[in-house]
Structure formats: C-alpha cells, structure tokens
C-alpha cells in the first residue's frame, strides 16, 4: 500500500457564486491525525464530502492510495470510513438493524459489528429506533458505522459534537488509539481537541489553506503562542 493515503490536487468546489473549496492541495499519510480547523462556512464539510466521493469537485483531483477516485470510485470508497455531519439516515431502523444493514453493504463481518458497538459504547441502545436516540448517541452510532469494515482512512466531521464530557474524552482517546495504522482527518471547532489529539493542523478559511503543520509550526508561522491566537490571526484578518 502507498504511504500517501489521501492526496488532493488543486481541488475546487463552486456552488453558484460561492467558491466553497479553493485550489486545495494536500497529502495525508498513515499515522497522521489531521485536524481541519476553520470558522463556520470555511469549506470543511464540502472538502470531506468530496474526498469520500459523496460530492463531485468542480475541478481538481482526489487520489486515494494513488488511485483517482473518479476512475476507481468503488475501490476507493471501501478504504474510507466516514462520519458525516448530522444524523445517520434510516431513522425508522433500530440501531442493530442499521448496523447490520451498513455491515452488509460494506461486506463487514458479525465480529466487526460487535467490535464497533463496543468501541462506540452503544450496547445499551441496540433495540432503540435511530429517530429516538439522543444527539450524543446518534453521533456514536455514526462513528460505529464509520469503523465497521476497519477502513485504513477515517474522515470524521465533528466527531465529538453533542457528546457529554465523559463520552467526549472516550471518543478522543479512541481516535488517538487508532492513529498508528490509520490516516485520520477530523473537522472540529474545538481548538483544545485539535491540540490534544492531532499531529497536524490545517487551518482553512473561505475554502483555502491558511496554514498546515504541527502546532509548533503554526505558532512559528503566525508568530503566536496559542492555537486560539493563531486561529484568530488566520481567520479574522
Ligand atoms: P461549518 O463549520 O459551519 O460546518 P464548513 O466549514 O463545514 O462549515 P461547508 O458546509 O463546507 O463549511 O460550506 C462551505 C460554503 O459552501 C458555505 O458558504 C456554505 O454556505 C456553502 N455550501 C455548502 N453546501 C452548499 C450547497 N449544497 N449549495 C450551496 N452552497 C453550499
């Protein structure tokens, strides 16, 4: 397998008059947990939706392990686990039915369903309908489905959004523990979360990369001493 798990080349997404993602070029390798940090509307979800193949770019290329996703969409999709923003679909299904269904689609085993249930800590809501779950449990179910077939790439859009403090810590530890054999891209608004678990931070504003590096590298580039100050400098000026 190639070292470079995700590569985007001059990626653009234009919605009418909104240039949501602009000339976005980056590479991500195994072992990295990368935070996509940006203000509301910066283009984080649009970028993730394009990398997972849910949304077509206006122009540019996306390569997963060196394979262009346009030419190999089925092959590349199975390599990516995705926790999208918002609720999983199929509100009428019970949690168990939903996971069985998603596992069938991905060719994941019964064992992997059990593992995902344990990791996401959702054993107590298996018989509950998705539409009746609290926000935190919906997020945890979304996470469980993203890891079903143990994909080498994880894209997690605001993974700790709506979680209580204990579950937030559990999720952060879980993501951190998976770093060695995966490439993980998370979007978050939580600067402490990015600082605590991510090896690299990409600050994005109006669809463009404003800074890309470790926390220390970003402090150096921005001549700041905290991520909060760096973020403000790069996204407010
Ligand atoms: P947030 O932090 O608020 O979730 P984000 O960084 O994920 O924001 P996106 O949701 O990717 O940002 O949106 C980027 C820009 O694209 C915004 O200006 C948004 O209004 C616009 N946009 C997103 N989806 C669409 C769409 N389907 N049609 C038109 N504009 C869209």
């Amino acid at each position: 397998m190639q070292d470079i798990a995700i590569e985007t080349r001059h990626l653009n997404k234009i919605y009418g008059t909104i240039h949501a993602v602009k000339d976005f070029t980056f590479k991500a390798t195994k072992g990295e947990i990368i935070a996509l940090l940006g203000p509301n509307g910066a283009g984080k979800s649009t970028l993730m939706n394009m990398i997972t193949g849910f949304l077509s770019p206006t122009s540019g290329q996306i390569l997963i392990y060196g394979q262009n996703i346009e030419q190999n969409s089925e092959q590349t999709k199975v390599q990516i686990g995705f926790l999208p923003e918002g609720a999983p679909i199929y509100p009428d299904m019970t949690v168990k039915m939903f996971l069985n269904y998603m596992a069938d689609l991905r060719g994941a085993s019964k064992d992997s369903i059990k593992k995902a249930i344990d990791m996401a800590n959702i054993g107590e809501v298996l018989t509950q309908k998705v539409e009746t779950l609290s926000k935190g449990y919906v997020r945890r179910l979304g996470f469980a489905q993203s890891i079903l077939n143990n994909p080498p790439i994880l894209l997690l859009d605001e993974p700790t959004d709506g979680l209580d403090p204990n579950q937030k810590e559990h999720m952060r530890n879980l993501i951190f523990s998976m770093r060695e054999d995966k490439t993980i891209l998370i979007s978050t608004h939580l600067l402490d979360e990015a600082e605590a678990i991510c090896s690299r931070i990409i600050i994005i504003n109006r669809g463009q990369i404003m800074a890309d590096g470790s926390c220390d590298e970003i402090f150096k580039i921005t001549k700041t001493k905290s991520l909060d100050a760096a973020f403000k400098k790069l996204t407010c000026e």
Side-chain angles (χ1 to χ4, degrees):
M1 221 178 244
Q2 287 213 2
D3 274 352
I4 299 167
I6 309 169
E7 180 173 1
T8 66
R9 294 180 184 162
H10 306 291
L11 200 61
N12 285 281
K13 181 68 187 180
I14 301 172
Y15 298 109
T17 56
I18 298 172
H19 205 149
V21 171
K22 253 186 228 169
D23 200 30
F24 204 100
T25 295
F26 90 113
K27 290 177 188 168
T29 56
K30 187 170 152 181
E32 286 192 297
I33 305 182
I34 303 174
L36 270 183
L37 280 183
N40 291 131
K44 305 178 295 293
S45 298
T46 303
L47 177 71
M48 285 197 168
N49 283 317
M50 289 194 285
I51 295 172
T52 52
F54 278 97
L55 196 63
S56 299
T58 305
S59 63
Q61 288 181 310
I62 301 163
L63 301 127
I64 300 298
Y65 296 110
Q67 307 250 349
N68 194 313
I69 67 163
E70 272 184 48
Q71 277 118 45
N72 304 282
S73 70
E74 288 318 307
Q75 268 169 287
T76 50
K77 265 184 195 164
V78 292
Q79 317 261 30
I80 302 176
F82 184 34
L83 169 63
E85 206 177 15
I89 36 179
Y90 311 117
D92 271 354
M93 287 187 183
T94 64
V95 167
K96 190 80 198 279
M97 280 161 71
F98 175 71
L99 287 174
N100 282 336
Y101 177 70
M102 296 307 284
D104 274 353
L105 283 183
R106 306 238 181 87
S109 66
K110 292 274 177 241
D111 272 359
S112 67
I113 302 177
K114 196 182 167 311
K115 198 169 170 202
I117 291 168
D118 288 344
M119 286 175 84
N121 216 352
I122 53 172
E124 62 197 42
V125 295
L126 292 181
T127 55
Q128 218 171 303
K129 278 192 176 182
V130 172
E131 64 189 354
T132 69
L133 294 176
S134 68
K135 191 176 172 192
Y137 272 104
V138 170
R139 218 66 206 124
R140 284 148 68 177
L141 174 59
F143 176 76
Q145 68 73 32
S146 77
I147 56 170
L148 272 177
N149 59 334
N150 194 22
I153 298 174
L154 279 182
L155 264 64
L156 309 172
D157 202 345
E158 299 188 26
T160 61
D161 184 37
L163 301 187
D164 66 48
N166 293 336
Q167 287 304 322
K168 202 168 263 194
E169 194 184 338
H170 171 76
M171 179 68 83
R172 286 179 184 177
N173 290 339
L174 199 55
I175 294 170
F176 192 69
S177 73
M178 293 190 299
R179 71 196 180 284
E180 268 175 30
D181 60 344
K182 292 197 193 298
T183 304
I184 304 175
L185 188 61
I186 67 168
S187 92
T188 179
H189 292 115
L190 306 171
L191 303 179
D192 62 329
E193 181 163 292
E195 212 160 356
I197 63 169
C198 298
S199 52
R200 181 173 153 201
I201 289 169
I202 298 180
I203 298 185
I204 164 172
N205 193 27
R206 298 173 205 262
Q208 279 181 302
I209 297 177
M210 308 302 290
D212 178 354
S214 65
C215 269
D216 285 343
E217 283 164 346
I218 288 181
F219 297 160
K220 224 178 254 173
I221 302 163
T222 54
K223 299 190 172 63
T224 56
K225 289 188 178 132
S226 71
L227 201 50
D228 187 41
F231 184 80
K232 284 193 181 127
K233 196 162 185 181
L234 292 168
T235 60
C236 294
E237 284 175 358

